[in-house]
Amino acid sequence: MLNEGHRRESRGTDVVVGYVETHGRPQTQAQLGDLEIIPRKRVTYRGVTLEEMDTEAIIARHPKVALIDELAHTNVPGSKHVKRYQDVEEILDAGINVITTLNIQHLESLNDLVASITGVRVRETLPDWILDQADEVELIDISPYALRQRMRHGNIYPSERIDAALNNFFREGNLTALREIALRRVAEKTEAQLQEYMTEHGITEMRPAGERVLVGFDSRPYTREVIRDAWRLAHGLHADLIAVTIQPEGYLAFMSKLIGFLKFGREAPKYREAALRRLEDHALLAEDLGAEVIRTSSSDIASTLVKIAHERQVTQLVLGQPARSHWEELLRGSIINRLLRMSTDIDIHLVPRSGDE
């Protein structure tokens, strides 16, 4: 990013550094060179003063190009925007071009996959559509061996952190897997750009028959994994993604409240409120991943899912593994079993619950 900034500045482009985190690395610090740097703003949170990117100052300076590091960064609580990518959107809306950096493990759709490979759950993520709307994506590729050598030479972490890093996240197997994921993701971006070009120029698209993926979601915590899994399936199939949540009506609604009371007693209303908040979070996640979100209610959830799937010509249905106890299924019935008994001509995918739930 810094090299690109210098290249553009040498050709007369007005370039500023909106935010760069050097992490104390001498080589990174040296690459800043004489680029103009917008001072950071200082924010006090819980008695601690922190530094954040000054979005307003960048917009007021209004360069042609702003270099902004660590796109997935979460801002200090109380900031105008929760995430840095939202600050970048504001800067783009002001007519300023942005060159930014992003690690592959920070894409929301890959969160579960990265955790399964590395054993590390990445907490700072951003929606995939941010990457999809970029005009250009450049992969900065390096072999796992070369990266580990750079680390051993002290170019990335201070000496006291090197061994721990090499033996944990930066193991060669992890890096190889992440590298492959990055290569595939950039290839998908390139293919999408090619398809857009062909469409704009009236070139016949060589694309397989359309698939559509429908994911059913609810308020269970592991539903986030179900939605991400459905997105990966849809993305791999070049398919539209539809996310559906169905609130129970009638007898189902009554039994849901009864079971909630039997489980939680007088605390049941508090748990219902928490469940509703999670449901909204899951709907927002689906929207961030580009899904069309449908909200409805029914006394027959299985039939309603099939009805929506047929109306939308869905070919793949993704659901989470049931979490009900045996007596709950006796009272409310099994949605999965009913779906399997129906003649839907739709492939059904069940996403297993994570081990910690």
Side-chain angles (χ1 to χ4, degrees):
M1 179 183 69
L2 294 174
N3 288 340
E4 179 66 12
H6 282 293
R7 187 187 70 80
R8 296 196 183 199
E9 185 187 47
S10 69
R11 296 185 177 184
T13 302
D14 184 15
V15 178
V16 303
V17 174
Y19 187 96
V20 164
E21 185 56 71
T22 66
H23 297 288
R25 298 165 186 162
Q27 292 183 5
T28 307
Q29 186 68 41
Q31 286 180 3
L32 283 167
D34 58 357
L35 290 172
E36 178 185 346
I37 300 174
I38 302 296
R40 302 178 186 183
K41 64 180 177 183
R42 300 171 69 82
V43 181
T44 301
Y45 176 67
R46 293 184 177 178
V48 178
T49 300
L50 304 168
E51 293 184 338
E52 290 285 7
M53 181 174 73
D54 195 335
T55 303
E56 292 77 14
I58 295 171
I59 293 174
R61 169 63 176 75
H62 210 280
K64 179 70 174 177
V65 175
L67 310 180
I68 298 176
D69 203 8
E70 298 189 350
L71 187 60
H73 170 77
T74 301
N75 293 328
V76 175
S79 300
K80 180 179 180 181
H81 298 297
V82 176
K83 303 287 288 188
R84 181 166 293 158
Y85 77 80
Q86 295 169 315
D87 291 307
V88 167
E89 287 185 290
E90 185 176 344
I91 292 169
L92 291 170
D93 289 340
I96 301 169
N97 295 318
V98 172
I99 301 175
T100 186
T101 63
L102 172 69
N103 290 337
I104 189 65
Q105 63 263 32
H106 291 143
L107 288 178
E108 178 65 48
S109 68
L110 301 175
N111 193 259
D112 300 321
L113 182 59
V114 170
S116 69
I117 292 170
T118 65
V120 176
R121 174 69 66 177
V122 177
R123 299 301 175 186
E124 288 197 324
T125 60
L126 82 172
D128 289 57
W129 59 261
I130 297 294
L131 180 67
D132 293 336
Q133 74 176 8
D135 294 325
E136 296 180 25
V137 175
E138 182 175 351
L139 176 64
I140 310 303
D141 189 28
I142 185 173
S143 72
Y145 174 80
L147 179 56
R148 285 168 58 85
Q149 286 297 103
R150 290 192 70 235
M151 186 167 288
R152 288 190 179 96
H153 296 157
N155 294 333
I156 299 175
Y157 286 148
S159 57
E160 65 273 13
R161 295 178 59 189
I162 292 174
D163 287 341
L166 289 172
N167 293 325
N168 291 282
F169 190 87
F170 288 88
R171 295 194 303 271
E172 187 163 351
N174 287 354
L175 296 175
T176 300
L178 291 173
R179 186 188 191 194
E180 180 182 2
I181 293 170
L183 289 165
R184 289 178 181 273
R185 191 63 180 85
V186 173
E188 290 167 0
K189 170 69 176 177
T190 304
E191 182 181 0
Q193 290 175 321
L194 174 60
Q195 295 289 351
E196 182 180 351
Y197 176 86
M198 293 170 70
T199 300
E200 288 177 353
H201 292 78
I203 303 172
T204 303
E205 291 188 81
M206 299 299 294
R207 187 166 177 170
E211 299 254 10
R212 285 191 177 178
V213 177
L214 185 149
V215 57
F217 71 95
D218 54 26
S219 61
R220 290 177 293 173
Y222 101 104
T223 293
R224 297 182 71 86
E225 299 175 25
V226 178
I227 295 171
R228 293 187 190 113
D229 197 83
W231 183 90
R232 287 194 293 273
L233 175 63
H235 206 67
L237 295 171
H238 302 289
D240 294 331
L241 178 61
I242 303 167
V244 176
T245 180
I246 304 174
Q247 294 301 304
E249 282 185 342
Y251 173 77
L252 278 182
F254 170 75
M255 294 309 301
S256 295
K257 290 183 179 179
L258 175 61
I259 290 171
F261 179 76
L262 293 174
K263 274 187 172 181
F264 306 115
R266 293 182 179 178
E267 296 293 310
K270 182 176 74 174
Y271 283 95
R272 280 199 298 271
E273 289 179 10
L276 287 174
R277 287 195 296 270
R278 285 198 303 272
L279 187 68
E280 291 305 311
D281 287 343
H282 297 160
L284 181 59
L285 170 63
E287 290 176 351
D288 282 345
L289 292 175
E292 175 190 356
V293 175
I294 297 175
R295 304 167 187 262
T296 187
S297 56
S298 173
S299 58
D300 188 342
I301 292 176
S303 294
T304 302
L305 271 175
V306 172
K307 180 175 180 290
I308 294 172
H310 282 160
E311 289 174 348
R312 296 305 186 94
Q313 299 179 325
V314 167
T315 58
Q316 312 282 335
L317 176 60
V318 180
L319 298 170
Q321 180 181 337
R324 295 176 179 175
S325 63
H326 179 66
W327 64 273
E328 285 180 288
E329 291 204 353
L330 287 175
L331 289 172
R332 292 193 290 192
S334 169
I335 295 172
I336 300 298
N337 287 341
R338 290 204 63 211
L339 284 169
L340 292 173
R341 285 195 296 267
M342 293 178 181
S343 179
T344 62
D345 296 323
I346 299 170
D347 292 340
I348 298 176
H349 305 259
L350 294 183
V351 180
R353 297 196 303 277
S354 57
D356 56 353
E357 189 170 332

